[in-house]
Amino acid sequence: MKNKIVKVISLLMVAMLVFVGCSSKPASNEGNNNEGNVTKESKVKVGLVVSGGLGDRSFYDSSNEGLELAKKDLGVEGKVLECKNDLSLLSDQLVQASNYGDIIVVVGFEFYEVIQEIAPQFPTKTYVYVDNAITGVDNIVSIQYKENEGSFLAGALAAMLSETGHIGMVGGVDLPVIRNFQVGYEEGAKYINSDIKADVIFAGDFEDPTKGKESAIAIYNKGADIVFHAAGKTGEGVFEAGKDLGKFAIGVDSDQRYINPDVIMYSMIKNVGLSVYETIENIGNGSVKGGEILTYGIKENGIGIGYGTNDMKQFVNDEMKAKLEEITEKIISGEIKVTEAR
């Protein structure tokens, strides 16, 4: 009897060892492939590299908002690397991000050549280049925006609100993307008032509020009462100039009214955060792949106008908003064709 019991116990132990051995196979790598799948089983890592620095309350901060939302909603891990406008750091920071992340989001026109050199060295990684289009590199997804559509709306509102018939714009660096802001702004203003005058100055920098203030003062002193900026942190100087001179300004990229709601009448929103979030998500689910160029305009909710919060003084009345909605529909339908400066 004792021998039978020993045999039964031995057979049970063998069976348990076989079961354990069969269930201890290595974990599957599914969900951690080159597409950067966002799954519960594996956390995708996203590296965000910006040519400037966070805290601009504009373009870079908006891209980081997209990453933060992806961390919250999609469960990705994220890391931000800032270059602080030091061109010597571009390559090193991008390589660091490439070693860290499965998806690397790259923000800044300065990276245009660098990303095309580095991305092929990391063929299993997916890069997202924000604000420009790159072709011919299989693992780069490009995001571009129809900022000309948004600035058309901004220009139309400026023409409705201007009391002098003279407006202006401060651009950061003279680039095609900033020219795209300019052409839309001028065309939108002239759509409302064909005789309006619009002065434009390029400050030559995206990170220098002092240059932005000097440029805005020069435009205000010519007779403009409203100045738009497409200049990143440099645009904060435009707001300072407006405050000092009792004039008005228009924000950009994010709804910037909170910075000074008595000076900033409204903002042209370029929804970088939304596009970054959606692209991370869509790379994860496989609906977006390297080599694609994504375009965000009014129709894609990538562009719009921000009026601040209800507790702020509102410069734009309901009649103006209704007119702007009419213009918006005409842009979407193609009845109004805004020139592209690319």
Side-chain angles (χ1 to χ4, degrees):
M1 184 67 176
K2 183 178 179 180
N3 290 337
K4 287 183 178 180
I5 292 173
V6 170
K7 287 181 179 180
V8 170
I9 292 173
S10 297
L11 288 171
L12 287 172
M13 289 180 68
V14 170
M16 289 175 66
L17 288 171
V18 171
F19 176 78
V20 171
C22 291
S23 62
S24 299
K25 60 185 177 181
S28 170
N29 285 326
E30 289 179 8
N32 193 28
N33 58 25
N34 296 344
E35 297 299 339
N37 288 340
V38 180
T39 69
K40 293 181 180 179
E41 288 76 22
S42 64
K43 278 201 172 184
V44 167
K45 293 181 179 180
V46 180
L48 171 63
V49 194
V50 298
S51 58
L54 299 184
D56 68 335
R57 299 191 283 189
S58 184
F59 198 68
Y60 300 131
D61 282 355
S62 184
S63 65
N64 188 48
E65 287 170 7
L67 173 59
E68 289 298 318
L69 187 59
K71 287 164 65 177
K72 178 183 176 182
D73 287 359
L74 305 176
V76 305
E77 292 182 7
K79 180 178 181 181
V80 180
L81 295 94
E82 303 170 79
C83 297
K84 301 291 186 180
N85 302 300
D86 185 343
L87 297 181
S88 68
L89 294 179
L90 297 180
S91 182
D92 287 344
Q93 294 289 64
L94 187 50
V95 168
Q96 283 193 46
S98 301
N99 285 323
Y100 165 80
D102 305 294
I103 300 171
I104 300 91
V105 181
V106 184
V107 184
F109 73 93
E110 296 92 341
F111 282 107
Y112 185 77
E113 299 292 343
V114 179
I115 190 175
Q116 294 184 72
E117 295 171 1
I118 291 176
Q121 299 175 33
F122 296 87
T124 65
K125 308 299 178 78
T126 302
Y127 294 78
V128 180
Y129 187 45
V130 177
D131 214 25
N132 209 336
I134 290 175
T135 58
V137 184
D138 292 340
N139 60 334
I140 296 179
V141 176
S142 299
I143 303 177
Q144 61 184 10
Y145 305 87
K146 295 181 180 179
E147 50 273 315
N148 57 328
E149 292 183 349
S151 56
F152 188 99
L153 300 180
L157 273 180
M160 294 182 212
L161 288 162
S162 176
E163 295 182 354
T164 64
H166 190 163
I167 60 176
M169 172 182 152
V170 174
V173 178
D174 190 353
L175 298 167
V177 64
I178 305 302
R179 290 285 184 186
N180 214 29
F181 277 100
Q182 178 189 352
V183 69
Y185 184 63
E186 293 174 339
E187 288 184 0
K190 290 185 179 298
Y191 181 84
I192 298 297
N193 177 5
S194 60
D195 295 324
I196 199 165
K197 183 176 181 181
D199 289 317
V200 178
I201 292 178
F202 290 92
D205 204 305
F206 286 113
E207 296 285 333
D208 192 337
T210 299
K211 289 182 178 179
K213 186 172 184 177
E214 292 170 352
S215 300
I217 288 173
I219 294 173
Y220 287 130
N221 285 341
K222 291 181 179 180
D225 56 350
I226 302 171
V227 174
F228 177 40
H229 90 88
K233 194 170 185 178
T234 297
E236 294 189 6
V238 176
F239 305 150
E240 293 174 11
K243 178 182 177 181
D244 291 350
L245 298 177
K247 305 291 186 178
F248 300 101
I250 305 167
V252 78
D253 292 335
S254 301
D255 192 339
Q256 296 188 308
R257 286 215 63 204
Y258 70 93
I259 297 174
N260 191 331
D262 294 325
V263 171
I264 304 167
M265 307 179 92
Y266 54 92
S267 299
M268 191 220 94
I269 296 176
K270 187 173 178 180
N271 209 335
V272 178
L274 172 70
S275 62
V276 167
Y277 172 84
E278 289 186 344
T279 304
I280 291 171
E281 180 180 36
N282 291 331
I283 289 172
N285 63 35
S287 62
V288 167
K289 300 182 184 299
E292 294 189 41
I293 297 174
L294 311 177
T295 302
Y296 278 80
I298 291 176
K299 184 178 180 180
E300 296 78 19
N301 296 317
I303 299 293
I305 297 293
Y307 302 104
T309 54
N310 291 332
D311 60 334
M312 296 176 182
K313 174 185 177 182
Q314 294 297 310
F315 294 93
V316 182
N317 60 37
D318 290 342
E319 183 181 349
M320 293 174 183
K321 289 181 180 179
K323 180 65 175 177
L324 206 66
E325 184 60 33
E326 176 189 314
I327 293 171
T328 298
E329 292 302 320
K330 288 182 178 180
I331 291 174
I332 292 173
S333 70
E335 183 177 342
I336 293 177
K337 298 186 184 298
V338 187
T339 302
E340 288 189 24
R342 294 190 187 278

